Amino acid sequence: MGLVTLLQHLISTPILFVYQLLQCFLDRLLSPTPPPPHARLRRPKIAIIGAGLTGVSAASHCVGHGFDCRIFEAGPRKSLGGIWSKVNNTSGLQIHSIMYRFHPSVKWNKGYPDRKQIVSQITELWERYGLGEKTHFNTRVESVYQDEHGRWIINDPSYGRFDGVIAAIGTCGDPKMPRIPGQDGFKGDIYHSSQLDGKHAKGKKVAIVGGGASAVEALEFVAAEDAAHTSVLARSEKWIIPRNPLIDGLLALNIFGSETIFSWIPENILRLFFYRDLYDVSPPANSGKGIFTETPMVNDDVLQLVRSGKASWLRGDVLQYDESGKGILFNQRSRGVPKNGPGVEKLVEADMVIMATGYDRPSLGFLPEDVFKKPYEPPNWYLQTFPPSHPDICANNCTYVNAIGTVGNYHIGIYTRFLLMYLVDPLARPKTQWMKRWIDMTRSIKARAPGGAFEFFTYSELIYWFVFTIAINPFRWKWAPFVLFGIGKNLPISVVEKENRVRNGMRGWVAHPCPAGSGPCPAGSGWP
């Protein structure tokens, strides 16, 4: 960028200019250095399952810190980017991009980037860290198991053996397309919300089945297409919060990660200043649907479209397509009436029906059976991500259910570096019994959480988890800068080598860092 262009940019868009400077600063400070081409990387070697946003980011952290990895992706090359490679071109971020920095080197050129820019950033990251030669496309992972030495095998030994595993399959798989009775007789078009590219809604009456984030995106699409009217058919109330990073960040400051006696304050503020005349759309008080129970939708346009008469937000149950083929029979319920409760049946006429019914959740069934034993099955894992029986497995960004805060952000790197710490430092590695105790402690703290201890968290709570688990074990203190920020890797490894030499002299243990499950290493320090 030339000096003149830079000055013009500063004058015309000062906030964006400052944001670009911030991104450059974070990149220089926190991004690991990409390895040179064909570099020989050290052990441990990590198997990463999934080439989406999380998988690519985790892999870049591994190789950037000098550790080898392989990525296994079920789809072809065009699947790079995960769910973002499959959605509409009009899809984009609902939260501000500052809360979606899935890697320190990411540089957004606007506050709410679209699908194309998101996929391009993932692709640039994949290329910058030389991950092309480390990615196996069209390779669906069916099983992950250990050999006699505790090394991990992906499907079969032909891919080699690994010291750790990162499952990065996400939470969105194939589109979920339920069939509604009478569908064959409908005279209009029916599409899933992820299949709207090239479709036209101008002048049409549109019915959107669903009331979540996919419904909001579909509503934005048909509004931009200048549809005659859109009816959103939602089964239940769901919180909508402003598209404002300051407000979203304040809500994420709830370190308890659940409803508290003070939750009525932000909820009533939202009803008063955001919903205003449309308070009926918000979840009623004392309904069990507080702001800290489910992931809220982030959008400014939905309520405005309803106010302008361009859209209707209807609460109730879809019954069937009308026999005349003109639309959907819908049981409209009043606020607070439960699903399938009493209501008023009405015909919602439509020329187009968009099924905003989400996606099937990908299965972690390829992992060993013992990670699913109750009461420590996902998401009830250590830091919600590590199964107690295997600290060398990290299910990164694919076990969560609901949350408030940044998405796809620095926690990808933090979780990855936790795994690297566990693999190279026996004294920092948690024992199974202590991992279970941490889970039990978190359950106790969040005993009153409506959805369960691990089914909802805020980003502040997540940071508390990270800091607490480092602070509780003195042998992890030397790793704190590396785990939390990605800096200072060489110092902890040199300290680990000295610690191993001391232990080797005292107890005959090995004199080098070793991966979990590799045999002669100690099982752990006894700390959680």
Side-chain angles (χ1 to χ4, degrees):
M1 182 181 290
L3 179 59
V4 175
T5 304
L6 185 66
L7 291 174
Q8 290 176 341
H9 194 62
L10 173 59
I11 295 171
S12 61
T13 54
I15 295 177
L16 182 58
F17 179 79
V18 172
Y19 183 32
Q20 297 288 10
L21 287 180
L22 173 63
Q23 293 185 109
C24 291
F25 172 74
L26 293 173
D27 181 17
R28 295 291 296 272
L29 179 67
L30 301 177
S31 290
T33 303
H38 312 296
R40 183 177 179 82
L41 301 174
R42 75 179 77 186
R43 302 295 297 272
K45 185 177 181 181
I46 316 297
I48 299 173
I49 303 169
L53 176 152
T54 301
V56 171
S57 180
S60 71
H61 285 288
C62 289
V63 301
H65 292 301
F67 301 106
D68 202 2
C69 72
R70 291 294 181 274
I71 302 175
F72 297 86
E73 168 56 45
R77 167 63 179 79
K78 66 179 182 180
S79 297
L80 183 68
I83 188 61
W84 285 110
S85 69
K86 303 175 184 178
V87 297
N88 306 302
N89 286 323
T90 55
S91 298
L93 292 185
Q94 295 296 322
I95 62 172
H96 195 278
S97 59
I98 198 170
M99 304 174 77
Y100 205 80
R101 292 182 51 76
F102 56 89
H103 189 272
S105 66
V106 169
K107 294 184 179 66
W108 304 115
N109 58 27
K110 56 184 178 180
Y112 298 92
D114 57 20
R115 169 198 176 273
K116 184 178 180 180
Q117 187 182 164
I118 296 169
V119 173
S120 71
Q121 286 291 314
I122 297 171
T123 303
E124 287 179 20
L125 186 65
W126 183 71
E127 293 173 346
R128 185 183 310 124
Y129 284 85
L131 299 176
E133 62 185 20
K134 300 180 181 298
T135 304
H136 299 279
F137 289 110
N138 297 304
T139 306
R140 182 175 296 278
V141 174
E142 304 288 350
S143 63
V144 174
Y145 61 96
Q146 290 179 298
D147 64 13
E148 63 275 14
H149 300 294
R151 302 283 298 285
W152 291 104
I153 294 174
I154 308 299
N155 289 344
D156 62 68
S158 64
Y159 295 106
R161 288 167 167 79
F162 300 88
D163 306 297
V165 176
I166 295 177
I169 59 174
T171 60
C172 297
D174 295 327
K176 190 184 298 182
M177 192 74 167
R179 189 173 181 81
I180 298 174
Q183 184 168 308
D184 292 336
F186 180 56
K187 296 178 181 178
D189 299 312
I190 303 173
Y191 305 109
H192 188 267
S193 58
S194 64
Q195 301 166 342
L196 298 178
D197 282 345
K199 308 303 187 295
H200 302 285
K202 184 176 178 62
K204 295 182 178 181
K205 290 178 287 187
V206 180
I208 299 175
V209 178
S214 298
V216 168
E217 281 200 359
L219 178 57
E220 288 182 329
F221 168 80
V222 295
E225 283 279 309
D226 196 22
H229 187 80
T230 304
S231 299
V232 180
L233 310 181
R235 291 195 66 188
S236 60
E237 301 91 350
K238 194 172 178 71
W239 282 101
I240 304 173
I241 61 178
R243 214 178 187 191
N244 184 302
L246 176 61
I247 294 175
D248 303 343
L250 288 173
L251 290 173
L253 288 178
N254 176 3
I255 197 171
F256 299 103
S258 65
E259 289 288 290
T260 70
I261 59 173
F262 301 107
S263 295
W264 63 271
I265 298 175
E267 292 167 8
N268 282 346
I269 290 175
L270 286 171
R271 291 189 182 100
L272 181 63
F273 294 103
F274 186 58
Y275 286 91
R276 303 196 304 275
D277 53 314
L278 298 177
Y279 71 93
D280 183 68
V281 177
S282 68
N286 303 318
S287 65
K289 286 199 170 186
I291 192 74
F292 299 105
T293 57
E294 292 182 352
T295 304
M297 294 178 292
V298 186
N299 194 272
D300 290 327
D301 300 329
V302 171
L303 299 182
Q304 186 55 40
L305 288 169
V306 175
R307 288 190 181 98
S308 67
K310 295 288 289 182
S312 300
W313 192 280
L314 307 177
R315 178 196 307 105
D317 309 294
V318 171
L319 302 177
Q320 64 180 59
Y321 281 93
D322 178 54
E323 292 180 357
S324 67
K326 294 181 179 180
I328 292 177
L329 289 177
F330 186 72
N331 178 46
Q332 186 173 356
R333 292 181 271 105
S334 298
R335 188 169 184 252
V337 176
K339 298 174 184 178
N340 300 314
V344 177
E345 186 176 311
K346 63 182 295 184
L347 172 63
V348 178
E349 294 187 358
D351 306 305
M352 174 191 290
V353 172
I354 299 176
M355 300 295 290
T357 44
Y359 302 83
D360 290 322
R361 194 178 187 101
S363 173
L364 288 167
F366 51 79
L367 293 177
E369 290 185 5
D370 59 344
V371 306
F372 302 105
K373 290 183 178 179
K374 295 182 177 181
Y376 303 105
E377 75 281 18
N380 301 293
W381 284 351
Y382 186 59
L383 300 179
Q384 202 195 45
T385 301
F386 297 92
S389 53
H390 295 289
D392 45 0
I393 293 178
C394 173
N396 206 337
N397 260 3
C398 57
T399 56
Y400 71 87
V401 182
N402 288 292
I404 288 183
T406 60
V407 179
N409 212 282
Y410 290 122
H411 63 267
I412 296 175
I414 292 174
Y415 274 130
T416 302
R417 293 189 293 269
F418 261 112
L419 176 67
L420 294 176
M421 176 182 69
Y422 295 160
L423 293 178
V424 302
D425 189 350
L427 295 177
R429 191 179 310 143
K431 279 187 174 182
T432 295
Q433 65 186 37
W434 285 111
M435 295 171 82
K436 290 180 177 180
R437 297 295 80 78
W438 182 89
I439 296 169
D440 295 339
M441 178 193 72
T442 305
R443 281 176 171 153
S444 177
I445 293 173
K446 299 182 68 174
R448 295 180 178 273
F454 294 95
E455 283 75 2
F456 181 95
F457 66 88
T458 62
Y459 211 73
S460 296
E461 179 185 15
L462 193 63
I463 297 301
Y464 154 73
W465 290 353
F466 293 155
V467 173
F468 175 81
T469 53
I470 289 177
I472 197 68
N473 183 344
F475 292 106
R476 294 180 191 152
W477 294 354
K478 61 182 177 292
W479 287 99
F482 173 71
V483 170
L484 297 178
F485 304 105
I487 57 179
K489 172 198 61 169
N490 292 329
L491 174 61
I493 287 182
S494 64
V495 173
V496 169
E497 291 172 346
K498 293 178 181 178
E499 290 172 346
N500 279 331
R501 283 196 292 270
V502 172
R503 292 200 311 275
N504 185 48
M506 295 175 59
R507 304 187 184 184
W509 287 351
V510 293
H512 57 82
C514 50
S518 62
C521 294
S525 65
W527 295 83

